[in-house]
Amino acid sequence: MTREELRRTELRLHEIDIWEDPGTAARVRSVAHGNETVPTVFVNGEGMVNPSVREVLAAASGGQPPARWWRR
């Protein structure tokens, strides 16, 4: 998923540069098995590492996207 794809949705976004915010970088590492993988998206407190737009939209609407090994 790219930033542009996510911006085309009607979701309200809050983007954070993890290299400028150590706390957010730590949060990303906590769900990405120690990696600083972007994009990592948080919806209602759940982190998704490199999700598809479909997965983000499903999570935002209360649905459950398919489980992946890198989701926590």
Side-chain angles (χ1 to χ4, degrees):
M1 169 190 71
T2 66
R3 176 184 300 172
E4 290 73 29
E5 289 173 317
L6 197 54
R7 285 182 177 165
R8 283 184 231 144
T9 70
E10 294 184 13
L11 296 174
R12 186 178 61 185
L13 306 176
H14 180 78
E15 295 181 53
I16 300 171
D17 183 336
I18 67 168
W19 294 286
E20 292 182 6
D21 185 330
T24 301
R27 187 173 181 209
V28 167
R29 287 191 303 271
S30 77
V31 299
H33 300 282
N35 298 305
E36 293 181 345
T37 304
V38 293
T40 296
V41 178
F42 290 88
V43 178
N44 298 323
E46 173 150 358
M48 295 181 285
V49 179
N50 201 20
S52 69
V53 171
R54 180 185 67 78
E55 290 171 312
V56 173
L57 291 172
S61 68
Q64 294 299 318
R68 291 185 171 178
W69 65 268
W70 58 83
R71 289 191 56 208
R72 286 191 185 181

